[in-house]
Amino acid sequence: MKLAVEICDASELAAKDGSGSCNPLVEVEFDDQRQRTATKPGDRSPYWNETLVFDVRDPGRLPSLAVDVSVLHDKRLQDQNAVRAHTFLGRVRINADSAARSVEEAVLQRYPLEKRGLFSRVSGDMALKIYLIPDEASENEQQQQAGGVVQEQQESVVRSGFAAASSGGEQHQQQEEKQEVVKEGGGIRRTLHAVGAPPPPPPGQTVVMPRPAGPPAPAPAPPGGGSGGGSGGGAYGLVETKPPLPAKMGPRAAAAAAAKIASTYDMVEAMSYLFVSVIKARDLPTKDVTGALDPFVEVKVGNFKGITKHLDKNPNPVWRQTFAFSRVHLQTNQLEVIVKDKDVVKDDFVGRVAFDVTDIPSRVPPDSPLAPQWYRLADRSGEKLRHGEIMLAVWMGTQADEAFAEAWHSDAHSLSQEGVTNTRAKVYYSPKLMYLKVVVIAAQDIVPAAGAAGEKGRPCIAKIQLGSQVRRTRPQGQPSPVWNEEFMFVAAEPFEEPLVVTIEERNEAVGRVIIPVAAPYVPRNDLAKSIEPKWFNLARHMTVDEAGAGVPANKDRTFASKIHLRLSLETAYHVLDEPTHYSSDLNPAAKKLRKGSIGILELGILSARGLSSPNPYCVAKYGPKWVRTRTLVLMGPLNPSWNEQYTWEVFDSCTVLTVAVFNNGNVFEDRKPDQRVGKVRIRLSTLETDRVYTHLYPLMTLTPSGLKKTGELHLAVRFTCTAWANMLAQYGRPLLPKMHYSHPISVLQLDYLRFQAMQMVATRLARAEPPLRREVVEYMLDVDSHMFSLRRSKANFNRITSLFSGAVAVARWMDGICKWKNPLTTILVHVLFLILVCYPELILPTVFLYLFIIGLWNYRRRPRKPPHMDTMLSYAELAHPDELDEEFDTFPTSKPSDVVRMRYDRLRSVAGRVQTVVGDLATQGERAQALLSWRDPRATSIFIMLSLIVAVVLYVTPFQVVAVVLGLYLLRHPRFRSKQPSVPFNFYKRLPAKSDMLL
């Protein structure tokens, strides 16, 4: 009988060659037989597709044997004179008795690589298939494999560019290793290479999706216009720019720029517009035979024209509409305002007023608005009409003008009136949210349902409903059940939905009370005071609709069942409507409990370039205030310029501003959901005060096909602090209001409430005019951030492992000091150590002095740009296509069973790695606890006796002597060191942990 170990591939191995890669090979050991695969140079995710065959000398010993699969890094490719030829990358230990009994039963499985020691740096996993081969089948396979080796020797070997660059001696050595058959320990060492791709798996087995050949090619670098390079690598980094903004100019230049643009718009570039305000008309001449006139106005500048709404049979119409024409697009010096009569066949000409654009006055806020004037209408030849006047105001202004937001813009000239409404800039506010606490205490005199009057003790529940939020109590027996259960709901002001409490018996309502969420029914609790409970009468047949219509309950009855409730609006909490790590508002709902503002946040949305959507607009959110820029209907290159500026009050610097770009799908007749283009997050605490940050932020979207760059967003951001003392004092205060700590809400309940708050905000803003659509709000609030993603799991796992990189670096530095790798540094450490021993009062001052020096040293390398989304940290560039397909899959899944099984196995692999790391950390802590727990009585006896001896020695020996002896022993020269582990290390490793108590 033979044992076959089929080695398919490995993924995400640790880098060992100093250049972010490794040269992996696999060594398999079974029953004193050892074999190796070929080396894959410079590949952290290698493919071998090799089968190693071992002799099973005694099938009865299989349960006691193990298959050790070790992944090694071949150091000889970089250093031919390396003392150790291989470096450990990880291993897998499998019981030989778990091998499949035939090739058909074998299943390809992924195993997480395990560490060999406490400080081993291991990552990744590998795919293996282990099965047994009967004697006859093994002989046939050996003949086929021998023929394959001969055929492989005759064929030409195609090598990669990396392998071609390796030394000729190494290539010759690898070719010799392919052919050698060496007797080792009584076994035969065979290295067999699979030439072709592996055959497809049998039906019903695990499907291993192929990994991509490498990371996707980076997008081309952004074009000119920035003065700095991107941080974060490639096309996904920030690019610093220097636009001509008044806020970034000197004092003199800023004063000169104040004449062109208002001081409140000093963070955007001035954009000149021609404004035409059509107010009204009077005494218009009639054109129809009937004497009726349906007037409207057409404002025309070159190829652009705007049209007011027409008014039926009105010779004295009032329009009050404003039109804005970008001066950049003006191709003529004449402005025409034409009054027409709406007709079925052809609109009739009534009169016109013409202006020379060069003679139009300019107006810059804070100047008062320009007063409108009456103008006499003229015919086509320019002759004044006897009847008809129109009131107009015409001026040249900028986007700082008050009329800019409500104006009809020339870039939307091809849209309908409803489409124009959806393109305007607007400011929205989230509804005021607060928690509604409902304590269901008890009920009395519950009348059973019809047909169950004779039965006593039937269980009933209390169902509490507020809008779409429904909670239920545990069942209790009648007729006087006692619950004493507390529930939390999210309520939004104004309170449109009542609280409905229903007593149900086997899904049949036996009593109901409907309570308006307003005073005096539900009091507000601002100071965490005790609220008195109340008794409410229950009505059997009242429906929610009847209660909404105002039908009184029990108007003809003197007896009614009752329920005891404690209701309160807990306004001392802050209702979280966004993920906690992206929160932009941390104030409590009660206005009197809020702290004063500490500064002003100003955002200038300048422009974008390289967008993939033709109708872009931006949405920015900070706190309860949402802003939406105007939608630019682009017919040419997708490089829009908004140049709109917005301002927020800042109450906490540890908050996040979110800006996103969308494609407006509601500007034309075919209604479509607004498409996501990209998102930018800026944490205020990372910004320097009074500095204007102008950067191009890359916009990225993650799709099942991979990461895509959809453009760049040009922003100007400035955080101005107005209360330095309060801002610095906030770093010592809790992040959330005090109520979250004195009366905390459980994590599960908080997640449920946050999801309900998100849905409530999305519903309210979708009812605005124009609506901020649900898909926009959900994208801004990251509604789906709680969904499972293997990509995020890997990213978070690497974040956990990277936390220990600093401690590992210090341990390596100390190991180098102790082994005298740099004698000069070791001598300096000896001197510093002896000084600190002689003067122990200098230890703490020295530590803090070093921290001060390190902080000053790092100042020159401080970040100069706001932090942006890191694609490498997020594993967005290196994510496997199947992992992304799984992330965007529906719930429940819509994939076939074999794909789901493969994904489940992959999830087990990632979870196994997390489980191993957490288990190792727990093991070390449990060993420390075992020192005094007498779990190992001999070890505890030894430790407490040693503790007594050490206490006596330290008592009679000066501390300096002990410190010098201990320090010099740790820093001794390598010739006085043993290669064996130290006695304390061996003692600690032998201490018991609770890992042997796990099932």
Side-chain angles (χ1 to χ4, degrees):
M1 183 179 291
K2 305 292 183 182
L3 176 72
V5 180
E6 184 176 327
I7 302 170
C8 179
D9 69 288
S11 63
E12 301 176 7
L13 300 177
K16 293 290 186 179
D17 61 353
S19 60
S21 186
C22 61
N23 309 319
L25 63 96
V26 178
E27 182 180 86
V28 183
E29 184 176 358
F30 171 73
D31 196 14
D32 296 331
Q33 306 171 60
R34 185 177 301 172
Q35 299 185 36
R36 291 179 181 173
T37 65
T39 302
K40 301 294 182 180
D43 192 355
R44 292 182 58 192
S45 298
Y47 281 89
W48 286 283
N49 290 329
E50 301 183 19
T51 303
L52 308 180
V53 181
F54 300 86
D55 292 327
V56 181
R57 300 162 185 166
D58 186 2
R61 295 181 57 230
L62 275 179
S64 61
L65 296 178
V67 180
D68 289 324
V69 183
S70 302
V71 185
L72 307 174
H73 163 63
D74 195 347
K75 300 171 61 176
R76 295 174 298 176
L77 294 184
Q78 280 78 26
D79 186 6
Q80 295 289 342
N81 300 321
V83 178
R84 297 174 58 190
H86 303 103
T87 303
F88 181 74
L89 292 177
R91 70 177 181 183
V92 175
R93 189 179 181 89
I94 306 169
N95 190 355
D97 192 42
S98 62
R101 299 306 170 183
S102 63
V103 182
E104 292 76 11
E105 298 178 4
V107 177
L108 190 64
Q109 297 184 5
R110 303 200 72 89
Y111 298 91
L113 295 178
E114 301 174 354
K115 296 191 295 183
R116 184 169 53 187
L118 178 62
F119 297 104
S120 299
R121 189 166 65 92
V122 171
S123 66
D125 52 31
M126 66 184 310
L128 299 174
K129 184 188 292 187
I130 303 177
Y131 52 91
L132 297 173
I133 306 175
D135 291 336
E136 296 180 359
S138 62
E139 292 177 1
N140 297 334
E141 184 172 337
Q142 289 178 11
Q143 294 177 2
Q144 294 176 2
Q145 290 171 348
V149 172
V150 173
Q151 182 180 2
E152 183 181 347
Q153 294 173 0
Q154 296 175 355
E155 293 179 352
S156 59
V157 179
V158 181
R159 300 182 179 272
S160 63
F162 188 92
S166 62
S167 61
E170 182 62 32
Q171 294 179 5
H172 180 69
Q173 183 179 2
Q174 290 181 2
Q175 292 176 0
E176 290 180 350
E177 287 180 356
K178 290 182 179 181
Q179 304 175 15
E180 67 175 346
V181 178
V182 182
K183 300 277 186 176
E184 286 189 4
I188 301 179
R189 169 184 171 185
R190 302 182 181 90
T191 304
L192 306 176
H193 302 268
V195 180
Q205 293 189 1
T206 302
V207 178
V208 180
M209 301 294 291
R211 297 185 59 82
S227 60
S231 62
Y236 300 107
L238 269 64
V239 179
E240 188 172 2
T241 61
K242 293 184 179 180
L245 304 182
K248 299 202 72 172
M249 301 178 183
R252 296 181 181 178
K260 301 179 181 180
I261 193 168
S263 59
T264 55
Y265 278 72
D266 61 340
M267 292 180 59
V268 292
E269 300 182 37
M271 300 177 67
S272 182
Y273 285 88
L274 169 61
F275 290 94
V276 180
S277 181
V278 182
I279 308 299
K280 57 185 177 179
R282 65 185 179 186
D283 195 21
L284 295 178
T286 60
K287 291 295 180 179
D288 293 343
V289 178
T290 60
L293 181 68
D294 304 331
F296 69 94
V297 177
E298 180 180 283
V299 182
K300 187 176 181 181
V301 184
N303 295 328
F304 297 98
K305 65 179 180 180
I307 301 175
T308 67
K309 59 180 179 292
H310 75 277
L311 302 177
D312 296 334
K313 299 179 182 181
N314 193 341
N316 300 306
V318 178
W319 292 286
R320 298 191 184 278
Q321 288 185 242
T322 304
F323 301 87
F325 299 88
S326 177
R327 193 165 187 176
V328 178
H329 299 153
L330 297 183
Q331 301 175 352
T332 180
N333 289 331
Q334 188 177 24
L335 165 67
E336 288 184 291
V337 180
I338 306 172
V339 181
K340 292 186 177 182
D341 177 25
K342 187 71 174 178
D343 206 344
V344 178
V345 180
K346 182 180 180 181
D347 299 333
D348 297 327
F349 176 84
V350 177
R352 64 188 285 267
V353 178
F355 298 88
D356 191 344
V357 175
T358 58
D359 296 334
I360 295 176
S362 298
R363 182 247 172 183
V364 177
D367 292 348
S368 298
L370 193 66
Q373 300 181 20
W374 287 103
Y375 294 90
R376 178 67 61 86
L377 295 177
D379 57 14
R380 296 183 186 276
S381 61
E383 294 293 333
K384 298 295 183 180
L385 300 177
R386 295 180 58 185
H387 301 283
E389 289 180 307
I390 186 170
M391 179 177 279
L392 303 172
V394 183
W395 72 95
M396 300 296 299
T398 64
Q399 71 269 34
D401 203 289
E402 295 90 344
F404 179 80
E406 294 296 332
W408 176 97
H409 290 273
S410 58
D411 54 7
H413 66 280
S414 60
L415 305 180
S416 63
Q417 185 66 33
E418 185 179 357
V420 170
T421 304
N422 288 322
T423 63
R424 289 175 176 164
K426 292 292 179 181
V427 176
Y428 306 84
Y429 276 89
S430 298
K432 186 177 180 180
L433 303 177
M434 54 191 72
Y435 289 137
L436 171 63
K437 181 188 289 187
V438 179
V439 181
V440 184
I441 302 175
Q444 67 179 17
D445 300 331
I446 299 297
V447 180
E455 301 182 24
K456 295 183 179 181
R458 290 168 61 92
C460 63
I461 65 169
K463 172 185 170 184
I464 308 98
Q465 181 175 359
L466 180 66
S468 61
Q469 307 172 63
V470 180
R471 310 296 289 273
R472 290 178 172 85
T473 63
R474 294 186 299 270
Q476 297 291 342
Q478 296 183 21
S480 299
V482 177
W483 290 287
N484 281 322
E485 295 187 35
E486 179 182 303
F487 303 95
M488 299 285 280
F489 298 86
V490 179
E493 220 174 25
F495 307 109
E496 300 176 351
E497 298 164 336
L499 179 69
V500 182
V501 182
T502 307
I503 304 298
E504 291 185 352
E505 177 187 323
R506 295 185 178 180
N507 297 327
E508 181 181 353
V510 297
R512 175 177 293 141
V513 59
I514 300 177
I515 308 169
V517 186
Y521 302 97
V522 181
R524 299 199 177 197
N525 187 10
D526 298 336
L527 302 175
K529 56 186 178 181
S530 178
I531 303 296
E532 293 297 327
K534 295 182 180 179
W535 287 95
F536 294 88
N537 293 335
L538 295 173
R540 177 183 291 274
H541 301 294
M542 179 176 289
T543 65
V544 179
D545 296 334
E546 292 175 348
V551 177
N554 302 322
K555 58 182 179 180
D556 298 329
R557 297 179 58 186
T558 59
F559 168 79
S561 302
K562 296 179 180 293
I563 187 170
H564 204 196
L565 302 175
R566 180 184 289 115
L567 308 176
S568 61
L569 287 170
E570 300 293 334
T571 56
Y573 289 96
H574 168 70
V575 180
L576 293 170
D577 59 345
E578 50 195 342
T580 53
H581 40 285
Y582 302 141
S583 292
S584 60
D585 183 20
L586 302 171
N587 278 321
K591 191 173 183 179
K592 62 182 180 181
L593 298 180
R594 299 181 181 180
K595 306 297 182 182
S597 65
I598 61 171
I600 299 295
L601 171 64
E602 297 167 277
L603 172 67
I605 303 176
L606 304 178
S607 61
R609 64 185 186 187
L611 296 184
S612 58
S613 56
N615 307 314
Y617 69 94
C618 296
V619 176
K621 180 195 182 300
Y622 182 78
K625 181 179 177 181
W626 301 62
V627 297
R628 169 179 176 168
T629 66
R630 67 190 189 279
T631 300
L632 301 180
V633 184
L634 304 178
M635 301 302 178
L638 303 182
N639 298 320
S641 295
W642 291 282
N643 283 301
E644 299 182 24
Q645 183 171 339
Y646 300 96
T647 305
W648 289 269
E649 273 191 304
V650 178
F651 296 89
D652 196 321
S653 60
C654 299
T655 46
V656 177
L657 167 70
T658 304
V659 186
V661 182
F662 299 90
N663 177 37
N664 198 333
N666 291 268
V667 294
F668 297 106
E669 297 300 329
D670 51 336
R671 303 299 184 191
K672 298 179 180 178
D674 291 352
Q675 181 184 358
R676 306 172 180 178
V677 179
K679 186 189 300 183
V680 174
R681 295 193 188 97
I682 302 174
R683 184 171 291 275
L684 269 60
S685 60
T686 62
L687 303 179
E688 299 178 10
T689 56
D690 300 322
R691 175 185 170 185
V692 179
Y693 291 84
T694 53
H695 290 87
L696 281 170
Y697 293 82
L699 300 174
M700 298 165 285
T701 57
L702 196 61
T703 63
S705 59
L707 181 68
K708 294 182 180 179
K709 183 176 180 180
T710 54
E712 293 174 307
L713 181 62
H714 197 188
L715 299 178
V717 184
R718 177 172 60 192
F719 170 53
T720 304
C721 182
T722 57
W724 271 93
N726 291 340
M727 184 182 69
L728 296 179
Q730 280 184 348
Y731 284 91
R733 297 171 184 164
L735 195 63
L736 293 171
K738 297 179 180 179
M739 197 70 172
H740 286 268
Y741 305 96
S742 59
H743 297 79
I745 304 173
S746 64
V747 176
L748 292 177
Q749 192 175 17
L750 201 61
D751 290 339
Y752 170 79
L753 294 174
R754 180 167 63 242
F755 179 77
Q756 295 296 334
M758 291 177 180
Q759 298 297 324
M760 195 168 294
V761 172
T763 302
R764 288 290 181 93
L765 294 182
R767 293 163 52 188
E769 186 61 37
L772 198 61
R773 299 176 65 86
R774 174 176 289 271
E775 59 267 19
V776 175
V777 178
E778 290 181 350
Y779 182 58
M780 295 288 290
L781 296 179
D782 283 327
V783 172
D784 55 352
S785 61
H786 65 287
M787 298 299 292
F788 169 76
S789 168
L790 188 64
R791 174 186 59 84
R792 290 198 195 103
S793 301
K794 289 185 176 181
N796 291 331
F797 177 75
N798 282 281
R799 289 172 58 195
I800 292 176
T801 56
S802 64
L803 292 177
F804 302 98
S805 60
V808 172
V810 172
R812 289 179 178 175
W813 176 81
M814 192 61 189
D815 184 67
I817 293 296
C818 296
K819 294 182 178 179
W820 290 70
K821 293 183 178 180
N822 190 339
L824 179 60
T825 305
T826 305
I827 292 174
L828 293 177
V829 171
H830 275 78
V831 174
L832 177 63
F833 167 70
L834 294 176
I835 293 175
L836 294 179
V837 169
C838 297
Y839 302 95
E841 63 275 6
L842 297 180
I843 294 177
L844 287 179
T846 303
V847 171
F848 286 101
L849 180 62
Y850 279 176
L851 296 177
F852 172 76
I853 295 175
I854 293 173
L856 288 182
W857 180 261
N858 291 337
Y859 178 78
R860 62 187 182 90
R861 295 183 293 180
R862 70 189 186 280
R864 304 299 177 93
K865 302 174 182 178
H868 189 50
M869 300 177 189
D870 194 331
T871 57
M872 298 299 293
L873 181 65
S874 306
Y875 261 63
E877 292 185 84
L878 303 178
H880 193 281
D882 184 71
E883 297 174 3
L884 297 176
D885 182 69
E886 178 185 14
E887 183 173 345
F888 289 93
D889 190 12
T890 59
F891 184 82
T893 182
S894 58
K895 301 297 178 181
S897 58
D898 54 348
V899 176
V900 175
R901 180 182 301 176
M902 179 271 297
R903 290 175 177 175
Y904 174 69
D905 291 339
R906 184 174 57 195
L907 175 61
R908 292 175 61 192
S909 172
V910 176
R913 275 182 279 167
V914 177
Q915 169 184 302
T916 302
V917 172
V918 175
D920 289 344
L921 295 176
T923 297
Q924 307 310 318
E926 290 166 356
R927 284 174 176 168
Q929 292 178 347
L931 287 172
L932 298 174
S933 65
W934 291 91
R935 184 147 182 255
D936 186 343
R938 287 163 293 279
T940 303
S941 302
I942 294 173
F943 180 74
I944 62 175
M945 292 305 299
L946 287 177
S947 299
L948 177 62
I949 295 173
V950 169
V952 173
V953 171
L954 292 178
Y955 181 77
V956 300
T957 307
F959 173 77
Q960 289 85 350
V961 176
V962 176
V964 168
V965 173
L966 183 61
L968 294 179
Y969 174 78
L970 294 176
L971 299 175
R972 66 193 185 278
H973 198 271
R975 70 176 59 183
F976 302 112
R977 295 178 179 273
S978 172
K979 294 184 178 181
Q980 300 297 323
S982 63
V983 173
F985 182 79
N986 294 334
F987 179 77
Y988 186 79
K989 290 286 287 185
R990 291 176 176 274
L991 290 173
K994 296 182 180 179
S995 55
D996 54 350
M997 301 169 62
L998 298 176
L999 291 176

